[in-house]
PDB file of all heavy atoms in Angstrom:
ATOM      1  N   CYS T 961     -88.332 110.998  66.044  1.00 91.00           N
ATOM      2  CA  CYS T 961     -87.967 111.844  67.286  1.00 91.00           C
ATOM      3  C   CYS T 961     -86.576 112.281  67.178  1.00 91.00           C
ATOM      4  O   CYS T 961     -85.647 111.552  66.836  1.00 91.00           O
ATOM      5  CB  CYS T 961     -87.995 110.754  68.522  1.00 91.00           C
ATOM      6  SG  CYS T 961     -87.609 111.583  70.147  1.00 91.00           S
ATOM      7  N   ASP T 962     -86.477 113.567  67.388  1.00 89.00           N
ATOM      8  CA  ASP T 962     -85.116 114.266  67.421  1.00 89.00           C
ATOM      9  C   ASP T 962     -84.764 114.508  68.855  1.00 89.00           C
ATOM     10  O   ASP T 962     -85.457 115.374  69.534  1.00 89.00           O
ATOM     11  CB  ASP T 962     -85.178 115.608  66.611  1.00 89.00           C
ATOM     12  CG  ASP T 962     -83.778 116.172  66.471  1.00 89.00           C
ATOM     13  OD1 ASP T 962     -82.889 115.763  67.150  1.00 89.00           O
ATOM     14  OD2 ASP T 962     -83.760 117.164  65.680  1.00 89.00           O
ATOM     15  N   VAL T 963     -83.821 113.921  69.399  1.00 88.00           N
ATOM     16  CA  VAL T 963     -83.497 113.988  70.841  1.00 88.00           C
ATOM     17  C   VAL T 963     -83.014 115.490  71.129  1.00 88.00           C
ATOM     18  O   VAL T 963     -83.060 115.905  72.342  1.00 88.00           O
ATOM     19  CB  VAL T 963     -82.422 112.995  71.270  1.00 88.00           C
ATOM     20  CG1 VAL T 963     -83.011 111.645  71.217  1.00 88.00           C
ATOM     21  CG2 VAL T 963     -81.144 113.183  70.608  1.00 88.00           C
ATOM     22  N   LYS T 964     -82.631 116.251  70.172  1.00 86.00           N
ATOM     23  CA  LYS T 964     -82.095 117.592  70.377  1.00 86.00           C
ATOM     24  C   LYS T 964     -83.278 118.650  70.620  1.00 86.00           C
ATOM     25  O   LYS T 964     -83.097 119.509  71.383  1.00 86.00           O
ATOM     26  CB  LYS T 964     -81.318 118.120  69.195  1.00 86.00           C
ATOM     27  CG  LYS T 964     -80.025 117.357  68.888  1.00 86.00           C
ATOM     28  CD  LYS T 964     -79.277 117.880  67.631  1.00 86.00           C
ATOM     29  CE  LYS T 964     -78.026 117.021  67.503  1.00 86.00           C
ATOM     30  NZ  LYS T 964     -77.235 117.482  66.184  1.00 86.00           N
ATOM     31  N   THR T 965     -84.448 118.262  70.042  1.00 87.00           N
ATOM     32  CA  THR T 965     -85.601 119.260  70.147  1.00 87.00           C
ATOM     33  C   THR T 965     -86.760 118.529  70.778  1.00 87.00           C
ATOM     34  O   THR T 965     -87.683 119.225  71.171  1.00 87.00           O
ATOM     35  CB  THR T 965     -85.992 119.742  68.836  1.00 87.00           C
ATOM     36  OG1 THR T 965     -86.232 118.675  67.893  1.00 87.00           O
ATOM     37  CG2 THR T 965     -84.878 120.618  68.233  1.00 87.00           C
ATOM     38  N   HIS T 966     -86.760 117.290  70.855  1.00 89.00           N
ATOM     39  CA  HIS T 966     -88.053 116.542  71.256  1.00 89.00           C
ATOM     40  C   HIS T 966     -87.855 115.953  72.685  1.00 89.00           C
ATOM     41  O   HIS T 966     -88.629 115.056  73.189  1.00 89.00           O
ATOM     42  CB  HIS T 966     -88.330 115.369  70.408  1.00 89.00           C
ATOM     43  CG  HIS T 966     -88.961 115.865  69.130  1.00 89.00           C
ATOM     44  ND1 HIS T 966     -88.291 116.625  68.238  1.00 89.00           N
ATOM     45  CD2 HIS T 966     -90.133 115.720  68.537  1.00 89.00           C
ATOM     46  CE1 HIS T 966     -88.971 116.887  67.199  1.00 89.00           C
ATOM     47  NE2 HIS T 966     -90.234 116.275  67.383  1.00 89.00           N
ATOM     48  N   ILE T 967     -86.995 116.501  73.457  1.00 89.00           N
ATOM     49  CA  ILE T 967     -86.915 116.171  74.945  1.00 89.00           C
ATOM     50  C   ILE T 967     -87.047 117.464  75.732  1.00 89.00           C
ATOM     51  O   ILE T 967     -86.464 118.459  75.605  1.00 89.00           O
ATOM     52  CB  ILE T 967     -85.533 115.525  75.255  1.00 89.00           C
ATOM     53  CG1 ILE T 967     -85.257 114.333  74.427  1.00 89.00           C
ATOM     54  CG2 ILE T 967     -85.472 115.139  76.741  1.00 89.00           C
ATOM     55  CD1 ILE T 967     -83.955 113.653  74.539  1.00 89.00           C
ATOM     56  N   HIS T 968     -87.893 117.386  76.667  1.00 90.00           N
ATOM     57  CA  HIS T 968     -88.276 118.474  77.698  1.00 90.00           C
ATOM     58  C   HIS T 968     -88.134 118.049  79.033  1.00 90.00           C
ATOM     59  O   HIS T 968     -88.550 116.998  79.433  1.00 90.00           O
ATOM     60  CB  HIS T 968     -89.621 119.022  77.248  1.00 90.00           C
ATOM     61  CG  HIS T 968     -89.870 119.622  75.945  1.00 90.00           C
ATOM     62  ND1 HIS T 968     -89.950 120.994  75.798  1.00 90.00           N
ATOM     63  CD2 HIS T 968     -90.040 119.086  74.820  1.00 90.00           C
ATOM     64  CE1 HIS T 968     -90.011 121.257  74.345  1.00 90.00           C
ATOM     65  NE2 HIS T 968     -90.172 120.138  73.818  1.00 90.00           N
ATOM     66  N   TYR T 969     -87.586 118.952  79.847  1.00 89.00           N
ATOM     67  CA  TYR T 969     -87.393 118.703  81.259  1.00 89.00           C
ATOM     68  C   TYR T 969     -88.245 119.685  82.125  1.00 89.00           C
ATOM     69  O   TYR T 969     -88.202 120.838  81.902  1.00 89.00           O
ATOM     70  CB  TYR T 969     -85.905 118.850  81.682  1.00 89.00           C
ATOM     71  CG  TYR T 969     -84.945 117.998  80.953  1.00 89.00           C
ATOM     72  CD1 TYR T 969     -84.253 118.418  79.867  1.00 89.00           C
ATOM     73  CD2 TYR T 969     -84.860 116.532  81.348  1.00 89.00           C
ATOM     74  CE1 TYR T 969     -83.359 117.497  79.109  1.00 89.00           C
ATOM     75  CE2 TYR T 969     -84.040 115.734  80.699  1.00 89.00           C
ATOM     76  CZ  TYR T 969     -83.310 116.177  79.471  1.00 89.00           C
ATOM     77  OH  TYR T 969     -82.496 115.286  78.935  1.00 89.00           O
TER      78      TYR T 969
END
Side-chain angles (χ1 to χ4, degrees):
C961 179
D962 184 352
V963 295
K964 295 179 181 178
T965 58
H966 285 64
I967 301 177
H968 295 257
Y969 299 100

